Amino acid sequence: MIRSMTAYASAETTGPAGTLSCELRTVNHRYLELSPRLPEDLRSFESQLRERIAAKLSRGKLDITVRRASDARSESLQINNTLLARLSELNLDMVARFPGMQVQFTELLRFPGVMQQAEMDPEAQQAALFDVLDRALDALTATREREGEKLGEILRDKLDSIERVVADVRGWMPEIRAALRARLEGRLADLKQPVEPGRLEQELVLQITRTDVDEELDRLTTHISETRRVLGLKEPVGRRLDFLMQEFNREANTLGSKSVDARSTNAAVELKVLIEQMREQVQNIE
């Protein structure tokens, strides 16, 4: 299944840890690069979060943002009455000694330990985090697969076009070789001195060897078949396709350098354009 590396997904869950939301944004990247942003009390789970993502994704630059929309722990806020009473006594004592001093009630509440919050079970926090993450990852994967399906269709269309160009060049080669022989015969006929016996055949063999593109056409045909096979694999194929694009480009360059006919030259240019269009799409494939 071809998967794009560009996608967005989000999910939300509500439980004992409050309401958590998770946003995932991913773009193409050579490797898997993760940039998590978590609430302070969930940062201890970052290592497990990275492992969980790496088990499902292999490439792409992924931004992970987890937010706490509401905190269930806020409902269990309590006041340490003993500490608050002691602070009140100290305040009254200080006011008696320093009549101009004023202490606001809210300042007393901010004193460490006055406001107490029930501790959240770490297992419940982890479960809530992984629940929202997994659902966001499932949505992200589905989006990447839908985009990947579109990319696969584009690549297959380009492969069909490349295959037609290769077939055209094969069909032209007998005519190109005949034209090459005719040009060579004309040049030798223009020579004023006598031509050695077999000279025409020697020169013709030399020219045909220099301009022979059968191997390049065969390799292009092989690359087309291999690319189609790779597109059908049930695993990440981006790196394989990137390598194949390099091989395609190498054969197209050689085909152009050996060309002695305008048609084959134009065909080599057309191949380069198609290959570059494929390469641009391959950069987005996981």
Side-chain angles (χ1 to χ4, degrees), residues 165-182:
V165 173
V166 171
D168 287 342
V169 175
R170 284 192 190 278
W172 296 333
M173 288 313 298
E175 187 178 340
I176 291 174
R177 293 188 181 107
L180 182 62
R181 182 184 184 93

Side-chain angles (χ1 to χ4, degrees), residues 119-134:
E119 290 293 327
M120 181 61 62
D121 181 7
E123 292 185 1
Q125 285 186 302
Q126 184 184 65
L129 174 61
F130 288 170
D131 174 62
V132 72
L133 174 67
D134 287 346

Side-chain angles (χ1 to χ4, degrees), residues 155 158 162 245 248-249 269-283:
L155 293 177
K158 299 301 179 185
I162 291 176
M245 292 307 104
F248 269 111
N249 201 53
V269 173
E270 178 65 16
L271 282 175
K272 290 181 181 180
V273 171
L274 290 168
I275 293 165
E276 178 60 21
Q277 291 172 344
M278 289 184 67
R279 191 191 68 81
E280 290 174 355
Q281 300 299 332
V282 166
Q283 299 307 305

